[in-house]
Amino acid sequence: MDKLVVGGGVPLRGDVRISGAKNAALPLMCASLLSPDPLVLSNMPHLQDVTTMLRLLAQMGVVASLDDRAGLELCAASVKEPFAPYDLVKTMRASILVLGPLLARFGEAKVSLPGGCAIGTRPVDLHIKGLQAMGAEIHVEQGYISAKAKRLKGARILMDLVTVTGTENLMMAACLADGATVLENAAREPEVIDLANCLIAMGARISGAGTDVIKIEGVRSMFGTAHRIMPDRIETGTFLVAAAATGGQVRLIETDAGLLDAVIEKLRDAGANINARRGEIQISMKGKLRSVNIRTAPYPAFPTDMQAQFMALNAVADGTAIVVETIFENRFMHALEMQRLGAEIEITGNTAVVRGVSRLQGAMVMATDLRASASLVVAGLVADGETTVDRIYHLDRGYECIEEKLSQLGAHIRRAH
Ligand code: UD1
């Protein structure tokens, strides 16, 4: 199993290019199922999750090819079998995003339940309830969701929790439904807007994406388009935290500061100097790092996907920080690993109290999920000596060439087998 060996103590310096967003790419790939014409996606990140989604779509009969501008072309002219098997869904929960489009276009779908994952139970009941409200007949048996509907019907759907992929699944399903659908308490994440923009270019009639009420007027059929995937705001945030925690000076290019206001505000509170211009962000850290309190919540509040990285920053900052995780019930696994590096973290329920220490000491640690892995790399960058992060297959799911990008910024980091 691959490991990353990180030598700590080097302030990051230089330029880094931010990749296309994983959490936008995955739903956009599923949107190809809504039309018989090709969908061309550019700024596609090279990630394990993208490969998994490609395998899943290819298995259904979607034809994938690279076009001359290195865009990924997906063509779902026909689909052999609207089926998502357990062995693929279990490795990537976002596979559930095929359910809505398959049902809407082909009238049936069979998708494995995702099952448990390292950061909590994460059910998909709201996806199922929403589709039922649109007239789908759904049975859950032997670990599979089997759904049927001659043609989905528009409905008013109030989701009692804000769910990102739930909103995306129902929005895609509603595109081909008969009549209007209103999604209330919808997720406002920028990735939902990116998906809505692409769907609109494919002929969908959607308004309100980016607000908590999204209205979709169903259409009979959709067509192909070309779409550029938005920058990854979590990768952006991770590099910003790494720059701040190491006392560095970094310019991030091909990204957008407007996607991560809450994160940037916290970094300024921590003492970072941040300037944003069109398409780029500059960060420099002079003086002492101050600890910052964090409370995760749906967008535009502080993202749960940045909680772990800020815990690494707080571990070496001046003062004591309170970190409250409100989205997932079991998302502090990284804290136990950081304790192995000498971090002082106390956890009670969904709250962590982090007392900053002056130094962390390199050690062997183990990645438990995607963002936890990133936080351990950040901790390794600030720890004395060498930190080995094991099980980094999690990291490869969501960060493109992380060790190359960090090396370019001067970090001592290498992959070992
Ligand atoms: C998405 C992101 C993930 C991010 C998360 C929260 C993608 C591919 N993944 O995941 O990186 O961490 O948003 O910002 O975009 N819930 C239910 N029932 C449901 C659906 C969700 O109870 O049917 C709960 C979940 O258990 C969780 C909360 O709602 O506690 C939010 O989850 P959700 O927004 O659905 O997360 P994902 O869309 O899976």
Side-chain angles (χ1 to χ4, degrees):
M1 233 177 266
D2 280 9
K3 305 171 175 56
L4 278 182
V5 183
V6 187
V10 183
L12 300 185
R13 276 184 208 291
D15 290 357
V16 63
R17 190 190 91 80
I18 298 301
S19 301
K22 168 181 90 72
N23 287 354
L26 299 174
L28 284 163
M29 292 170 77
C30 296
S32 68
L33 291 167
L34 288 166
S35 149
D37 303 336
L39 172 65
V40 179
L41 298 170
S42 55
N43 202 27
M44 181 62 76
H46 297 274
L47 300 170
Q48 192 51 49
D49 273 8
V50 166
T51 308
T52 306
M53 186 61 87
L54 268 176
R55 276 179 59 202
L56 179 58
L57 294 173
Q59 182 171 295
M60 290 177 197
V62 176
V63 178
S65 52
L66 284 176
D67 84 344
D68 49 4
R69 286 159 302 140
L72 173 68
E73 183 181 297
L74 295 168
C75 185
S78 63
V79 156
K80 297 195 287 267
E81 222 186 349
F83 175 60
Y86 177 63
D87 62 329
L88 289 175
V89 179
K90 74 171 188 224
T91 63
M92 185 183 65
R93 283 181 47 85
S95 310
I96 190 74
L97 284 162
V98 299
L99 179 61
L102 283 176
L103 186 58
R105 178 148 163 246
F106 302 100
E108 57 175 333
K110 187 171 175 187
V111 177
S112 168
L113 280 170
C117 78
I119 62 176
T121 46
R122 296 177 86 178
V124 289
D125 55 316
L126 299 172
H127 301 235
I128 294 175
K129 265 194 203 154
L131 293 170
Q132 282 171 330
M134 295 170 82
E137 210 180 285
I138 299 189
H139 299 283
V140 179
E141 48 201 6
Q142 293 172 326
Y144 278 87
I145 306 166
S146 294
K148 277 201 166 72
K150 256 211 172 110
R151 187 172 177 203
L152 292 171
K153 291 183 191 52
R156 177 178 162 260
I157 301 167
L158 170 67
M159 288 169 281
D160 58 7
L161 260 175
V162 178
T163 157
V164 179
T165 50
T167 300
E168 292 166 341
N169 226 344
L170 298 178
M171 183 166 73
M172 288 192 279
C175 287
L176 290 175
D178 183 17
T181 297
V182 180
L183 301 177
E184 291 180 6
N185 199 26
R188 291 180 283 167
E189 267 67 2
E191 292 77 10
V192 174
I193 305 178
D194 205 35
L195 174 64
N197 287 341
C198 177
L199 294 170
I200 291 166
M202 292 171 72
R205 294 207 199 123
I206 302 173
S207 59
T211 74
D212 59 1
V213 181
I214 302 179
K215 191 166 177 196
I216 306 111
E217 292 277 352
V219 294
R220 269 275 166 202
S221 62
M222 291 167 73
F223 37 84
T225 191
H227 180 85
R228 185 176 166 82
I229 297 169
M230 61 176 277
D232 196 312
R233 63 194 166 96
I234 306 301
E235 188 195 22
T236 303
T238 303
F239 277 97
L240 288 172
V241 169
T246 58
Q249 187 165 359
V250 172
R251 184 167 70 134
L252 293 84
I253 52 182
E254 289 187 41
T255 184
D256 179 359
L259 298 170
L260 63 172
D261 288 341
V263 168
I264 287 180
E265 206 173 297
K266 287 292 172 190
L267 284 164
R268 287 193 171 123
D269 291 348
N273 196 351
I274 299 180
N275 289 307
R277 272 195 295 177
R278 226 184 127 73
E280 66 177 59
I281 308 174
Q282 293 201 27
I283 180 166
S284 60
M285 188 73 208
K286 289 194 186 85
K288 271 206 152 158
L289 198 60
R290 295 188 292 270
S291 61
V292 282
N293 294 337
I294 300 290
R295 184 184 177 84
T296 66
Y299 192 86
F302 190 92
T304 174
D305 286 350
M306 284 301 302
Q307 179 257 105
Q309 300 87 319
F310 268 77
M311 193 166 295
L313 180 148
N314 277 320
V316 291
D318 230 18
T320 297
I322 316 273
V323 178
V324 185
E325 172 57 57
T326 76
I327 307 283
F328 295 115
E329 77 269 30
N330 186 22
R331 210 176 194 180
F332 283 142
M333 306 281 272
H334 46 280
L336 303 174
E337 297 299 307
M338 282 181 205
Q339 285 169 350
R340 297 177 42 77
L341 302 175
E344 287 188 14
I345 306 171
E346 230 174 83
I347 294 174
T348 321
N350 69 342
T351 303
V353 177
V354 189
R355 281 186 198 81
V357 295
S358 56
R359 319 205 71 82
L360 294 179
Q361 299 292 331
M364 296 268 283
V365 288
M366 199 168 75
T368 50
D369 71 63
L370 172 55
R371 307 306 169 184
S373 324
S375 75
L376 294 173
V377 171
V378 174
L381 291 172
V382 294
D384 286 345
E386 214 169 70
T387 298
T388 303
V389 185
D390 201 352
R391 300 205 179 172
I392 52 152
Y393 55 86
H394 294 289
L395 206 59
D396 295 332
R397 286 187 42 210
Y399 288 89
E400 187 173 49
C401 312
I402 190 163
E403 72 266 33
E404 277 136 59
K405 289 187 180 186
L406 285 169
S407 297
Q408 261 175 37
L409 296 174
H412 297 161
I413 184 166
R414 65 184 160 84
R415 194 173 280 247
H417 302 287

